[in-house]
Amino acid sequence: MSVQTMSLSGRKKEVSNKKMSFWESLYLVAIVKGLWITIGHLFTRKVTVKYPEEVRTRSAVWRGQHMLKRDEQGRENCTACGLCALSCPAEAITMTAAERKPDEKHLYREEKYASVYEINMLRCIFCGLCEEACPKDAIYLTESKVLVPASYEREDFIFGKDKLVMPLEMALANSKNKN
Amino acid sequence: MESAIIIEKSIFIFTIFAITMLAAMYSTWAERKVAAWLQDRIGPNRAGPLGLLQPLADGMKLFSKEEFLPNTPNKFLFVVGPAISMSVALMTSAVIPWGDKLVIGGHEVILQATDIDVSILYVFGVLSVGVYGIMIGGWASNNKFSLMSAMRASSQMISYEVAMGLSLIALLMMSGTLSLKEISEQQAGMNWNVFYQPLGFIIFLVCSFAETNRTPFDLAECEAELIGGYHTEYSSMRMGFYLFAEYASMFISSTILSVLYFGGYNYPGMGWAIEHWGVNAGNLIGVAVLFIKICAFIFFFMWVRWTIPRFRYDQLMRLGWQGLIPLAIANIVITGLVMVRHELAAALGF
Ligand code: SF4
Ligand code: SF4
C-alpha cells in the first residue's frame, strides 16, 4: 500500500468531480438517506444532564476545591516555601511568609508559615500540580463536589486562608480516627 | 337569515384565525423540540411543563423590546412589510375546507369560511403576494444585506411558483375542478391524490419548501452571508410578525398539501362513522384527522430542516428551472396520456 492510497480510518474517499446524472441532481435519494439517519436520532437516548436537578457523576480521581492541611495536632503544615506557587501553571497562588513566634508553636508546624495564602479561583485550572509540588503535604485538592460559586465581584474569587485552611474540628476528628 | 349567516361565518372565521395563530405559536415550540430531539437533546423544558409556555415567554420578550426604526426614507413601507407578510399568511385559510359540515339544531354549518369555486387560484394568488412582504421589508430597511436577501427570496419564490403551478395542473386535469371543497370530496375514503400523482406531489412538496422559505431553501435568511436576511433591521413585534408569518405560512402550506394530496378531512371508514355515530361525530373526527395530517406535514418540514444543509444559490436555481419544471411538464404529459388512453388505443386501432 502506498502512502497516497493509505487510509488510517478506513473511511478515506476519493473526491470526484464527475457530472451528476439527472436523478442525482434532484438530490431526492440523498435526501431520503439523510432523513433516515436523522429520524434514528429521534429515538436515541438524550445526552443532556438536567443540571440543577441532576448532577453528573464525577470520576474517582476528581480534583475539587483545595484545602490547606493541618496535622494531627491541628497545626498548619504549610511552610510558605512557595513551591506550589512556582509549579502552578496558571500562576494562581500568592503567599506572604512570616516567622513563627514561640507562643504560636501549637498553630504552625514549621518555623516559617504563610501568614497570607491566596488562590485566585478565576485563574486556577484545578490541575493539581500544587498538590504534587508540595514537600510538606500541606495543600491538596479535595473530593468536594461543590463548584466555585458565582459572584459579581472579582475579589470574591480570591480564596484566602479563611476559606482554604482545613477546619480545626476536622483535623481533630481525623486524628481521633487514626488513633 | 342573513344576519344568522353573518354571525355563523364570523364565529367560524374567528375560530380559524385563533387556530392558525395558535398553530403558528406552537410551531415555534415544536421546532425547538424537534430540533433538540433530532440532535439528541431535550429542548425547552423550563417554561411550564415540557416548556409549553415557551412561546408565551418569547412573545412577551418580543413585545417588551424596543421598536427600532432605521434611518430610512421609506418609513411607511418599513411598517407595511411585516403586515403584508402576516395578512397574506392568514388570508389563505379562508378557503380551506376544514371539514365537511355540522348539523346544529337542524341547521347545516359548512366547515369552510367561504366556498368559492376558484379557491386554488385564490390560494396561489394570495401566496404570490407574500413575496411583496419580504421585498418591501428588505427594500425599506435601507440595508444592502436586507435588500440582497429580499432579492434572493423573491427570485426564488417566483421561480418555484412556476413549477408549483405546473405540478398542480396535472392534478387539476384529473379533478376537473378548482374548488378545494370538491377536490376534498373526490378523495373520499383512501382515494387520495398522492397515489395518482406521486411525482406531482413530490414537485409540489419541494416547491412548498421554497415558497415558505424553509431549509433547505432558506437562502434569504442565511446568517453566515446575510446577517439576519430581510429582517435584519427589524426589532420587537415587527420582527415577530415576520417570524410568525413564516410559521403561519408553514401551517397553511401543510394544510394545502393535506387537502390537495392527502385527502383533506377524509379518512377510511368515514361513511360508516357518519352512519353509525351521526353526522357531527363523523365530521368532527374528519376535522381531527385533517389536523393530524397537518401536524405530520409540519413535523416533516422540521425534520427536513434539521437534516439537510442549505442549498447553494446556483443549485437552487438549477434545481428549480432545470429539474422541477421539466419534470412537472413531463408529469402533465403523462397524466394527459393516461387520461385519454382509451381514446388513444381506439384511435391507434387496438
Ligand atoms: S490546581 Fe493547578 S492551577 Fe490550581 S492552584 Fe494548584 S497548581 Fe495552580
Ligand atoms: S502549600 Fe506546600 S508547596 Fe505551597 S508553600 Fe506551603 S508547603 Fe510550600
Side-chain angles (χ1 to χ4, degrees):
Chain A
M1 202 189 261
S2 79
V3 180
Q4 276 79 31
T5 58
M6 207 164 76
S7 161
L8 284 179
S9 63
R11 281 182 285 172
K12 185 167 163 183
K13 264 194 193 150
E14 285 292 318
V15 176
S16 89
N17 267 339
K18 80 171 172 55
K19 234 176 137 15
M20 288 192 284
S21 68
F22 180 73
W23 279 111
E24 276 172 333
S25 72
L26 288 179
Y27 305 108
L28 279 181
V29 183
I31 285 172
V32 171
K33 273 189 203 158
L35 289 176
W36 182 247
I37 292 174
T38 41
I39 199 74
H41 282 268
L42 200 60
F43 305 106
T44 49
R45 210 176 60 82
K46 308 300 174 218
V47 291
T48 312
V49 179
K50 295 181 186 162
Y51 169 59
E53 291 97 46
E54 278 171 41
V55 179
R56 191 161 69 196
T57 53
R58 290 182 176 133
S59 122
V61 290
W62 164 259
R63 295 189 293 263
Q65 181 63 55
H66 315 64
M67 195 178 260
L68 280 172
K69 212 171 174 183
R70 291 179 193 269
D71 65 4
E72 280 92 28
Q73 295 159 39
R75 302 175 300 185
E76 285 175 27
N77 277 4
C78 176
T79 181
C81 67
L83 284 179
C84 50
L86 197 68
S87 72
C88 176
E91 298 188 356
I93 305 177
T94 49
M95 72 194 71
T96 310
E99 199 180 332
R100 181 182 69 183
K101 304 269 159 29
D103 57 339
E104 287 174 341
K105 273 191 177 155
H106 62 290
L107 289 178
Y108 309 109
R109 199 174 67 178
E110 314 291 338
E111 284 171 14
K112 186 175 144 224
Y113 71 96
S115 59
V116 176
Y117 189 105
E118 284 173 348
I119 302 182
N120 185 337
M121 284 318 195
L122 288 176
R123 304 200 66 146
C124 176
I125 54 173
F126 291 90
C127 62
L129 288 183
C130 44
E131 177 180 338
E132 267 179 54
C134 183
K136 297 287 179 188
D137 272 351
I139 189 162
Y140 65 102
L141 273 65
T142 59
E143 288 180 336
S144 161
K145 305 272 188 278
V146 183
L147 302 177
V148 179
S151 171
Y152 288 109
E153 307 295 332
R154 278 179 174 268
E155 284 69 40
D156 295 346
F157 293 99
I158 298 173
F159 281 19
K161 278 182 87 172
D162 52 329
K163 290 189 182 138
L164 292 174
V165 178
M166 171 191 265
L168 200 59
E169 307 84 62
M170 197 194 262
L172 296 179
N174 280 354
S175 66
K176 240 180 233 145
N177 285 348
K178 235 175 212 173
N179 297 335
Chain B
M1 197 61 223
E2 275 298 303
S3 60
I5 284 190
I6 291 175
I7 291 172
E8 174 198 318
K9 287 295 178 202
S10 315
I11 293 174
F12 188 73
I13 289 171
F14 190 76
T15 318
I16 292 301
F17 179 73
I19 288 177
T20 314
M21 289 302 231
L22 204 72
M25 231 167 104
Y26 274 92
S27 295
T28 65
W29 172 84
E31 174 102 81
R32 290 168 186 200
K33 276 288 186 194
V34 170
W37 289 334
L38 292 179
Q39 295 169 352
D40 298 347
R41 295 184 286 113
I42 293 174
N45 64 350
R46 297 283 138 174
L50 293 173
L52 275 173
L53 297 180
Q54 190 69 40
L56 288 181
D58 291 343
M60 251 151 71
K61 191 201 87 171
L62 278 175
F63 266 117
S64 60
K65 291 273 164 177
E66 182 194 348
E67 285 265 13
F68 173 73
L69 210 61
N71 189 11
T72 163
N74 298 315
K75 293 223 164 40
F76 175 70
L77 290 184
F78 186 80
V79 178
V80 160
I84 293 182
S85 276
M86 193 68 189
S87 28
V88 161
L90 291 173
M91 261 160 74
T92 20
S93 59
V95 293
I96 308 262
W98 301 97
D100 195 9
K101 58 174 178 254
L102 295 181
V103 180
I104 300 172
H107 177 64
E108 274 194 8
V109 181
I110 293 171
L111 292 177
Q112 188 177 14
T114 159
D115 181 21
I116 47 176
D117 42 7
V118 287
S119 31
I120 290 189
L121 285 186
Y122 168 82
V123 168
F124 275 79
V126 170
L127 274 184
S128 33
V129 177
V131 74
Y132 283 99
I134 293 177
M135 194 64 216
I136 288 176
W139 171 260
S141 293
N142 202 10
N143 171 334
K144 61 185 167 194
F145 291 109
S146 301
L147 183 62
M148 260 148 63
S149 151
M151 297 299 285
R152 277 189 183 189
S154 42
S155 56
Q156 162 188 336
M157 283 167 99
I158 290 169
S159 333
Y160 277 76
E161 234 153 56
V162 180
M164 198 176 201
L166 285 176
S167 72
L168 206 62
I169 286 182
L171 179 80
L172 298 180
M173 279 161 65
M174 280 179 50
S175 69
T177 172
L178 282 169
S179 151
L180 285 171
K181 177 99 180 156
E182 276 175 47
I183 290 179
S184 297
E185 275 162 9
Q186 284 171 4
Q187 305 179 61
M190 282 299 277
N191 218 357
W192 296 354
N193 279 330
V194 64
F195 302 124
Y196 303 103
Q197 285 285 343
L199 186 58
F201 167 68
I202 289 172
I203 297 168
F204 194 89
L205 184 68
V206 174
C207 295
S208 312
F209 277 89
E211 282 288 301
T212 49
N213 270 322
R214 293 282 303 181
T215 323
F217 304 119
D218 62 344
L219 289 120
E221 291 170 37
C222 48
E223 299 81 6
E225 299 160 30
L226 294 175
I227 319 178
Y230 51 87
H231 48 60
T232 305
E233 295 288 348
Y234 282 86
S235 64
S236 183
M237 235 11 229
R238 288 195 200 124
M239 158 98 169
F241 261 41
Y242 269 130
L243 302 182
F244 223 69
E246 189 189 323
Y247 283 99
S249 59
M250 185 167 85
F251 174 70
I252 296 294
S253 282
S254 306
T255 316
I256 292 174
L257 275 163
S258 327
V259 170
L260 285 181
Y261 288 96
F262 276 77
Y265 51 78
N266 288 297
Y267 54 96
M270 190 172 179
W272 186 88
I274 288 180
E275 226 169 79
H276 286 77
W277 299 333
V279 182
N280 287 349
N283 283 328
L284 280 180
I285 296 177
V287 176
V289 165
L290 178 61
F291 274 96
I292 291 172
K293 288 171 186 171
I294 294 171
C295 291
F297 270 112
I298 290 181
F299 174 75
F300 184 73
F301 270 93
M302 290 169 181
W303 179 16
V304 166
R305 170 163 182 187
W306 299 103
T307 302
I308 311 174
R310 188 177 290 134
F311 273 65
R312 227 170 44 219
Y313 196 57
D314 61 315
Q315 287 175 323
L316 172 94
M317 281 299 162
R318 191 173 311 129
L319 180 70
W321 289 101
Q322 298 182 1
L324 294 179
I325 292 181
L327 269 183
I329 293 176
N331 190 37
I332 294 179
V333 173
I334 295 169
T335 313
L337 286 179
V338 171
M339 277 171 69
V340 295
R341 62 188 181 279
H342 298 300
E343 290 89 333
L344 207 62
L348 292 175
F350 288 117

